[in-house]
Amino acid sequence: MRKKFLAGILFFALTIVSVTPAAAVTSYKNCTELRKAFKFGVSLSSQSKNKGVGPIAKPRVAPAVYKQNRKLDVDRDGIACEVVTRNTAPNASGPVVSNPEAGWLNNIASVSPEVCKLADARVDKRQPNNVGFPLRPDLIPAEGIANFIVIPVDFSDRPAGVLPAEYLRDQTEKMATWYESFSGGKLKLSFQIGTSWVRAPKPDESYVVPKNQANTPGAAQDVQAALAQDVITAAGSQFDFGKAHGVFLYMPTIKSVDYDMGLRGSSLRTPAGSKPLFLWGGGAYHFDNRNVWAGAKRDKMWAFWIHEMLHSQDQALHAPGNGFSTGLGQDQYGSSLVLSTWELFRFGWIDEAVTCLDKADIKPGTTSIIRPLENTARGMKSVIIRLSQFEALVVESRRSIGYSSEWNGLQGALVYRIDTRVDNDRSGESTGDTGNTEQFPKWGYYLAPDRNITTGSSSRSVSDFLFKPGDSRTFAGVKITVTSTSKDGDYITLTNVG
């Protein structure tokens, strides 16, 4: 359903042309497009072995195509866009059909969700957001209506050409839909989108912002503030800043801002007076082919913007599994764009969807049914086990549907541990940290099933952490076993082993 936007939206424009790789081999947008040319996907070599759900149809061995589309290999097994085959055993009356959920029983002795709302207890605070409770009031609300202004910006030395109004409208509609889905309608977004480019008063080369270093407040903050203020001043009275919570600068031709620019609460002069605003604008990285194909970044700009918004909604993100394709808190351009159970729980959006229990209350034969996170606030079911005043285990079901449809058939349960006394140390992001390496402190870590404990310690492959039927893991005296599974959820058994 189309959302209604404030005045200032242009309804007709050409789509901006994105940069594409110069290679002769096609880079496909998604698996649907790749499978039009390669029906059963492509593999790096004939020796590539499937790590995900199976069995699979035989993929085409095409090393060049695979390398150009490596981003679509979500489980990093050397096969991109594999196709799962379903084998059934026929008899005289047709295929055997059974109910995989027959006998499933939810007999957990759950308690109030309040028991699982662990207090934030960080001492070494590397970033400003709580990792535990409470969710503090921030620049952007968690409920009600959040109002944003999108300012298209270009520069005298880097003019932008035709304004991609339809594209900007599409991206902001995706943002609004995502928040409405995961908040269960508790938070709605409203946008004012500029109808023409706002020309910065200085050339691009005047605003040099290098890449930010981990665990720091941001590079060249004075330059970022100057650029933000120059753009808002140049925009004049085009926008109503009266109720605005934040501003996005869309700057597709920028080069001098290398990576990101962002202000969180800096006072900016607007036509409505000075206001402490959330402000974000992607630098050159978000429009070029570094790490991720520019076309993929363009398609998922909405997810990148949401990630930055979440940081101004008192969410730390970047754990568990920083950089994993398990959600946009870990990877804004990844193959899954959900938000984790813990962060949704902190928002207060899913209390009714969380089964909370204390470790001491786990009785013999305790079982529970969990439903996929991809079902969003209206259909998901997760389990949180309180281990201590500051520690918990989270068990969530995941499926290759909805905001994880690019997982290409991966499914299972994810288990992670939380410690609200610990903050994220992101200093190892390019120097040995897989995103889940315990050498670098984080508020959360994924736990691999027993069969992959060794592999999991050095892996970033989602499939190495997904629990399938028969998989178990014991941590802090709690054994978690996935007993069986269906397309709609997972059946888990919990055991208190002391």
Side-chain angles (χ1 to χ4, degrees), residues 78-209:
I79 308 172
C81 303
E82 52 264 58
V83 175
V84 178
T85 59
R86 301 297 183 189
N87 295 328
T88 56
N91 56 26
S93 60
V96 174
V97 178
S98 62
N99 177 13
E101 296 192 10
W104 285 16
L105 177 66
N106 190 17
N107 67 1
I108 261 183
S110 60
V111 296
S112 167
E114 300 300 317
V115 172
C116 290
K117 294 182 178 180
L118 310 182
D120 188 89
R122 294 169 301 141
V123 175
D124 185 7
K125 297 184 179 181
R126 294 182 171 93
Q127 51 83 39
N129 299 311
N130 277 355
V131 301
F133 287 79
L135 183 84
R136 296 170 302 179
D138 209 329
L139 296 171
I140 302 171
E143 297 186 359
I145 299 176
N147 299 290
F148 296 94
I149 293 170
V150 178
I151 306 179
V153 181
D154 73 352
F155 304 86
S156 59
D157 55 341
R158 297 190 184 280
V162 177
L163 182 78
E166 185 65 27
Y167 164 73
L168 292 176
R169 185 173 66 179
D170 173 71
Q171 294 293 298
T172 52
E173 286 181 351
K174 287 178 178 177
M175 294 168 72
T177 299
W178 186 95
Y179 267 101
E180 185 158 355
S181 297
F182 282 100
S183 74
K186 293 178 181 177
L187 180 63
K188 300 180 184 299
L189 306 188
S190 177
F191 292 90
Q192 300 174 65
I193 305 175
T195 59
S196 61
W197 296 105
V198 171
R199 175 65 53 85
K202 299 175 185 176
D204 169 58
E205 64 182 15
S206 298
Y207 303 104
V208 178
V209 179

